[in-house]
């Protein structure tokens, strides 16, 4: 499984949109600034029983893309629309390249392995600043990752 290629493809989509002031391929340790920001972190991996066989295991690798915007952004009425628009554009990018350039079998758009491509709004405090966030769950299905042998 080429996790570096998966990571690079997910980050490249965020960069290609041209809407983020910051694009980070990691969870930030400090506040990401005042403009629209993107970060990416790995959330988990598990077997996909219905797609695995007796020789190998297909795996669902889950990444979380986070959209950040400082709650002091003005006008404040624009905060949620900006975060939602960025979320929409990212989901559209992942949907229109659902094999991430051939690095995965597919982004699980509709939840065939459980959780679909989805987003959840929230708030996060970092470095005494509060951010409006959107966490985008990106489940990737990767064929034949682990060999099975007696």
């Amino acid at each position: 499984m080429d996790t570096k290629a998966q990571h690079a493809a997910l980050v490249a989509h965020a960069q290609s949109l041209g809407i983020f002031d910051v694009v980070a391929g990691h969870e930030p340790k400090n506040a990401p600034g005042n403009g629209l920001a993107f970060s990416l972190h790995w959330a988990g991996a598990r077997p996909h029983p219905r797609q695995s066989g007796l020789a190998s295991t297909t795996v669902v690798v889950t990444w979380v893309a986070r959209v950040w915007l400082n709650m002091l952004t003005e006008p404040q009425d624009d905060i949620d629309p900006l975060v939602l628009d960025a979320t929409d554009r990212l989901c559209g990018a992942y949907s229109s390249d659902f094999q991430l350039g051939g690095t995965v079998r597919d982004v699980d758009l509709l939840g065939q392995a459980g959780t679909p491509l989805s987003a959840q709004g929230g708030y996060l405090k970092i470095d005494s600043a509060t951010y409006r966030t959107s966490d985008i769950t990106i489940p990737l299905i990767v064929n034949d990752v682990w060999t099975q042998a007696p």
Side-chain angles (χ1 to χ4, degrees):
M1 173 168 56
D2 192 348
T3 56
K4 285 186 179 186
Q6 293 171 17
H7 181 270
L10 293 169
V11 170
H13 280 293
Q15 291 170 327
S16 73
L17 295 175
I19 60 172
F20 296 104
D21 295 321
V22 174
V23 174
H26 62 278
E27 185 103 48
K29 291 161 187 60
N30 300 313
N34 291 323
L36 204 55
F38 168 93
S39 65
L40 182 70
H41 64 271
W42 171 74
R46 62 180 173 78
H48 185 346
R50 292 189 311 252
Q51 297 297 313
S52 298
L54 295 175
S56 64
T57 303
T58 292
V59 174
V60 180
V61 180
T62 304
W63 295 86
V64 174
R66 179 170 288 149
V67 175
W68 305 70
L69 188 59
N70 192 307
M71 289 296 295
L72 296 178
T73 299
E74 291 292 342
Q76 291 188 5
D77 284 351
D78 288 352
I79 294 172
D80 276 4
L82 286 168
V83 171
L84 182 55
D85 179 65
T87 300
D88 174 53
R89 292 179 67 180
L90 282 165
C91 288
Y94 299 141
S95 183
S96 67
D97 180 21
F98 67 86
Q99 291 184 326
L100 296 181
T103 63
V104 299
R105 185 181 86 193
D106 59 80
V107 175
D108 193 356
L109 301 174
L110 303 176
Q112 66 180 330
T115 302
L117 176 68
S118 54
Q120 179 67 48
Y123 299 90
L124 192 61
K125 190 170 188 168
I126 185 169
D127 284 349
S128 73
T130 302
Y131 287 82
R132 182 68 164 130
T133 61
S134 173
D135 285 351
I136 305 168
T137 301
I138 309 165
L140 306 178
I141 299 176
V142 186
N143 285 338
D144 304 327
V145 175
W146 301 322
T147 302
Q148 297 178 12

